[in-house]
Amino acid sequence: MELQYKVSVKNGAGWRAFPDVQLLISVGQPYHEGPKFAAVVAWLRQQQRKTVHVAVNDTLQRWNSVAEGVDEKRAFADAELAGQKWIGSHADILASFQTVSASLTTPSVSVTRWREWLEHPGYAAAKACVDEIVSDTRNGLSDILKRDSANILKRREKTVSNREKFLVCSGEYIREEIAVLALQHADKPRADIYPGTMLKSIEWFRTAPQTLPPELEPLRHRYSCRIDFKRIEPKPA
């Protein structure tokens, strides 16, 4: 595939100190599809990372459907199918990680689905810790999370039919994401690479003004890098 975009680091240049990186894939977002995802893989191939973990965050997106009145079981199945299709349609791009030139280091690449993290033996404890910290009104996290949800609603307001339900589902989405991120960073320090804005309620954990439980301590050491895309102009014939 001829590259249509090139990648630049918008903020978080310190990611280069991490030999291990994680690509957070929000299934359904245009910046994770086709040409843009191909650009990210091509860019990482040149960075000589030790490992690349591709986190296909598919069933997390079910909360968007539940907010619109879809039954949660159906929303889960639909989101999981979307993740399966994403992996299938990007199989060749993912495989290109293994076809670097002899002069470059081939990274070890792994792919996980969101269900795997929800079924992780440590998930229930991590999620309970998130809920407990959010419920503590003294640390300010609850208000930050609510502002994150309100900002998301503001961006999507034209397509949201039930504002109150959206805010509730958005809160569930964020809490679940925080718990899973803690699990994803528990085994080794790695840099998250993402084209979107990282929520302030997630970033709160990096400088949390209180002792974190062991289940969430990995979030204090997590590093994130935000990338952007620039279209490559075709060469004149």
Side-chain angles (χ1 to χ4, degrees), residues 170-186:
S170 179
E172 292 297 327
Y173 182 115
I174 295 170
R175 291 175 186 226
E176 189 171 291
E177 184 174 23
I178 292 170
V180 169
L181 281 170
L183 294 173
Q184 290 173 336
H185 289 269

Side-chain angles (χ1 to χ4, degrees), residues 38-49:
V40 173
V41 171
W43 171 67
L44 275 178
R45 284 172 57 189
Q46 300 299 318
Q47 306 298 323
Q48 300 191 52
R49 299 298 92 188

Side-chain angles (χ1 to χ4, degrees), residues 22-220:
Q22 173 169 254
L23 298 179
L24 299 173
I25 306 299
S26 298
V27 175
Q29 290 289 351
Y31 46 62
H32 291 305
E33 296 294 330
K36 288 187 175 180
F37 183 66
V40 173
V41 171
W43 171 67
L44 275 178
R45 284 172 57 189
Q46 300 299 318
Q47 306 298 323
Q48 300 191 52
R49 299 298 92 188
K50 184 178 179 181
T51 71
V52 178
H53 175 227
V54 183
V56 181
N57 300 344
D58 45 14
T59 46
L60 175 62
Q61 310 307 319
R62 74 190 185 280
W63 291 111
N64 294 316
S65 297
V66 173
E68 291 303 308
V70 179
D71 172 76
E72 186 171 346
K73 186 176 181 180
R74 171 64 184 273
F76 193 101
D78 289 347
E80 194 159 61
L81 178 60
Q84 181 179 331
K85 289 181 177 178
W86 186 91
I87 291 173
S89 63
H90 294 83
D92 289 347
I93 298 174
L94 287 167
S96 71
F97 268 124
Q98 311 298 342
T99 57
V100 296
S101 67
S103 63
L104 298 179
T105 302
T106 302
S108 172
V109 180
S110 60
V111 178
T112 58
R113 308 279 298 277
W114 195 257
R115 177 196 281 270
E116 296 176 54
W117 296 105
L118 297 183
E119 295 174 348
H120 188 286
Y123 174 75
K127 178 59 163 55
C129 289
V130 173
D131 290 340
E132 183 177 354
I133 287 181
V134 172
S135 68
D136 184 351
T137 57
R138 296 169 297 178
N139 59 36
L141 178 58
S142 177
D143 290 335
I144 296 171
L145 192 151
K146 289 176 182 176
R147 284 197 294 273
D148 277 342
S149 293
N151 288 334
I152 296 170
L153 173 60
K154 188 175 181 180
R155 294 197 299 269
R156 303 183 185 178
E157 200 155 17
K158 292 182 179 179
T159 61
V160 172
S161 59
N162 187 325
R163 292 169 53 90
E164 292 306 315
K165 189 168 186 179
F166 180 90
L167 290 172
V168 170
C169 289
S170 179
E172 292 297 327
Y173 182 115
I174 295 170
R175 291 175 186 226
E176 189 171 291
E177 184 174 23
I178 292 170
V180 169
L181 281 170
L183 294 173
Q184 290 173 336
H185 289 269
D187 59 340
K188 65 173 71 174
R190 51 161 65 110
D192 282 338
I193 296 178
Y194 189 67
T197 302
M198 195 57 64
L199 298 175
K200 294 186 182 300
S201 49
I202 295 176
E203 291 298 305
W204 178 89
F205 286 87
R206 291 191 64 196
T207 56
Q210 66 185 72
T211 301
L212 295 176
E215 292 86 349
L216 303 182
E217 184 62 28
L219 294 172
R220 195 183 291 280

